[in-house]
Amino acid sequence: MIDFTMELKKFKPAVGVEVGAEDLYDNEVKDITDLVEELVQNMQESKER
């Protein structure tokens, strides 16, 4: 049987992984959805001209 308490004591974070919560939830970074929405909006604006 697995002793979770013992396993947690042995746990060590991966080397080089130093990402904080603010980095994970930062809304300033565009993802693919934002880029596609911006592209569609630009195409629609150029058609209206």
Side-chain angles (χ1 to χ4, degrees):
M1 184 168 220
I2 297 174
D3 183 2
F4 290 104
T5 306
M6 181 65 80
E7 293 299 322
L8 286 173
K9 288 179 183 177
K10 295 190 299 185
F11 175 77
K12 294 181 182 176
V15 176
V17 178
E18 299 173 358
V19 176
E22 56 275 349
D23 293 331
L24 291 175
Y25 300 109
D26 184 17
N27 288 332
E28 296 298 318
V29 178
K30 291 186 175 184
D31 63 1
I32 191 67
T33 306
D34 295 331
L35 295 173
V36 170
E37 287 177 354
E38 186 177 329
L39 179 64
V40 169
Q41 184 179 8
N42 289 343
M43 289 174 61
Q44 288 175 344
E45 287 174 359
S46 65
K47 284 183 180 181
E48 291 174 358
R49 292 181 194 173

